[in-house]
Amino acid sequence: MTRRPLATTGVALAAVLGLALTGCADRPGAGASAAPSVRATAAKPAADAAGELTAAIGRLNEQSMRIKLESAVLTASGVADPPARTMQATLTMAAFGEVSTLVIGADTWVRFDGALGERLSGGSKKWLHMATGTGVMPVDDPGGVKKLLSAVVEVRHAGDRSYAGTLDYTRAGVDARSLAGAGDKAKALPFTAAVDAEGRLTRFEMDMTPINATLGRMTASYSDFGAQVRLSRPAAADTEEAPPAIAQAFSGAGS
């Protein structure tokens, strides 16, 4: 597998691939363990903000939802139904094209388009099949925020159903080489979060500028809770097995 495209997009792409994501249809590609506790600082009791945010993120595993990601590097949208273990996402990178992902139970498929596909899959237009694993697109962590929660250093109330704090991005499972030039700046990235009246996370925004000013802010949004998700498997003629390196990078399988 050629690693250059991932290195070119830098740390934001590594984060974005962990936020796998809108579309609900009857066609292919359309349509965890408990999170660690975090320290809280606030006018309210310290445990409140941390506990509320942890619970709000945990509720993302309770029902289906629509997910949207926005960043300077790419945009993404999709649907996820964690209880049914299904998810679909399309990631669009201006420099490299699209990556379509599909998860149904124990199976994951990825399809590349554009320059990234030429480099990673030799220009194949087929769905690359692999076992569903715990890599950058785990179905039990739609949007990747549960993984980010493990990196939160402190969190406080910042208004009605909103929170602010900092996280240590070196604890978020990102390749250390991607953060080599960031130093201690990567250990104190500001973030904000919001929940709805039902206590579900609706928005998580991380400021990546301390690492690199061109990366800007990365936002994951959650909406349409309970939306119907109908996904179907690609036809056998349109699939092939993913090379081990791609399976390892995208699902944690194939190692």
Side-chain angles (χ1 to χ4, degrees):
M1 170 181 174
T2 302
R3 293 187 177 272
R4 181 60 182 169
L6 298 181
T8 302
T9 57
V11 105
L13 178 57
V16 162
L17 290 178
L19 302 174
L21 320 168
T22 256
C24 179
D26 292 318
R27 57 187 177 81
S33 59
S37 61
V38 296
R39 182 168 59 87
T41 58
K44 294 183 180 182
D48 286 2
E52 290 166 10
L53 182 58
T54 299
I57 290 174
R59 294 204 64 190
L60 295 179
N61 276 313
E62 295 180 355
Q63 61 189 137
S64 61
M65 76 208 77
R66 196 171 293 273
I67 309 170
K68 184 176 182 180
L69 179 71
E70 299 172 285
S71 77
V73 174
L74 60 78
T75 60
S77 60
V79 286
D81 188 349
R85 296 192 60 78
T86 60
M87 180 169 57
Q88 177 275 328
T90 300
L91 293 77
T92 303
M93 295 169 281
F96 298 119
E98 289 188 349
V99 180
S100 299
T101 67
L102 177 63
V103 178
I104 300 177
D107 299 293
T108 291
W109 296 266
V110 176
R111 184 169 62 188
F112 299 99
D113 187 26
L116 188 60
E118 291 293 335
R119 298 188 187 190
L120 294 184
S121 62
S124 174
K125 300 300 181 182
K126 291 189 175 183
W127 289 94
L128 303 180
H129 172 262
M130 63 201 78
T132 297
T134 57
V136 298
M137 295 177 290
V139 72
D140 64 345
D141 187 11
V145 290
K146 186 169 71 175
K147 190 173 185 178
L148 289 178
L149 180 62
S150 68
V152 171
V153 176
E154 61 92 15
V155 60
R156 60 191 180 277
H157 289 97
D160 185 28
R161 299 199 298 268
S162 62
Y163 306 87
T166 58
L167 57 83
D168 181 350
Y169 201 48
T170 66
R171 290 160 43 188
V174 179
D175 188 339
R177 291 171 297 180
S178 300
L179 299 173
D184 288 342
K185 294 179 180 179
K187 297 181 178 182
L189 296 186
F191 76 88
T192 59
V195 303
D196 64 12
E198 303 299 320
R200 299 170 298 205
L201 186 73
T202 56
R203 184 179 179 88
F204 191 100
E205 182 174 290
M206 181 167 60
D207 185 358
M208 304 289 289
T209 57
I211 294 177
N212 186 320
T214 64
L215 297 180
R217 296 175 180 273
M218 185 178 65
T219 303
S221 302
Y222 304 84
S223 62
D224 292 348
F225 292 101
Q228 188 176 37
V229 177
R230 301 189 305 270
L231 302 173
S232 59
R233 297 168 179 267
D238 296 329
T239 68
E240 60 186 42
E241 289 303 305
I246 291 181
Q248 174 64 22
F250 281 85
S251 74
S255 58

